[in-house]
Amino acid sequence: MQEEDFTEDTGRPSKTKKKEAMHELRDLGAELVELSVGQLKAIKLPENIFEAVRECQKITAHGAHRRQVAYLGKLMRGVDDEPIRAGLAMLRGESSAETARLHRLERFRNRFLEDEAYLAEIAAVWPSIDLQHMRQLRRNALKEQENNKPPKNFRAIFQILQELDKQGTPPADEEAGDE
């Protein structure tokens, strides 16, 4: 008879499960605190969560910081955490779609560095691109590679392509053409 009392399913989560969920939300909040303002804006947090994260980033005292993170976890109980988790995964590069997009942009950059004529294909995908600036960056990137200097212009080309891609992703038929 007593055995039945312990095995009976009440249909609600146990206290342990609730605490685990709260700790996960607190840890998620702590992860948000480590991000920059630009990254936080990219995730599109609710206003109260964004403000709590920004406040926590300003706090330097250990105890106060810990309490603010706990408060942030409490605030997160009232919102859907899936979009936040998805945004963090995208920032970490865990999203397969995001990884594929970055690889595609790297292929654009590498082909452009190999042959300047490939700039015409890039311009067909993104008509708003500044061709003269891109040619200058290519020349500088090639000089950097020759002289074994840090790849400042190499990275700048990628950042420009990434910005253009955020403004408007090319159609799927053009993506298949660069494989």
Side-chain angles (χ1 to χ4, degrees), residues 13-68:
S14 67
K15 186 175 179 181
T16 304
K17 295 289 183 193
K18 287 180 184 177
K19 284 181 90 174
E20 286 174 2
M22 288 188 292
H23 288 296
E24 283 181 22
L25 289 174
R26 184 195 62 210
D27 294 343
L28 186 63
E31 198 172 340
L32 290 173
V33 171
E34 300 300 318
L35 300 176
S36 70
V37 177
Q39 291 172 321
L40 288 171
K41 288 181 180 177
I43 295 177
K44 297 182 179 117
L45 297 169
E47 188 63 34
N48 62 339
I49 303 285
F50 181 79
E51 292 300 322
V53 169
R54 292 295 296 144
E55 188 63 35
C56 191
Q57 289 174 335
K58 295 175 190 173
I59 297 173
T60 57
H62 177 70
H65 184 81
R66 185 181 46 79
R67 284 189 298 276
Q68 185 67 17

Side-chain angles (χ1 to χ4, degrees), residues 3 24 100 131 172:
E3 196 172 293
E24 283 181 22
L131 299 175

Side-chain angles (χ1 to χ4, degrees), residues 66-114:
R66 185 181 46 79
R67 284 189 298 276
Q68 185 67 17
V69 168
Y71 173 68
L72 182 57
K74 182 179 177 182
L75 284 177
M76 292 185 65
R77 292 181 213 162
V79 299
D80 181 20
D81 63 324
E82 281 309 309
I84 296 171
R85 289 182 193 278
L88 280 171
M90 179 120 46
L91 286 175
R92 284 188 234 115
E94 293 174 3
S95 165
S96 60
E98 178 68 7
T99 303
R101 183 182 78 82
L102 294 176
H103 286 301
R104 183 176 50 79
L105 293 175
E106 286 174 1
R107 284 192 304 272
F108 271 116
R109 175 184 60 191
N110 292 338
R111 288 186 180 154
F112 172 54
L113 287 173
E114 290 170 7

Side-chain angles (χ1 to χ4, degrees), residues 112 131-141 153:
F112 172 54
L131 299 175
Q132 184 176 0
H133 183 62
M134 290 298 286
R135 286 187 186 102
Q136 176 73 41
L137 288 174
R138 179 181 180 271
R139 283 192 298 273
N140 292 343
N153 292 289

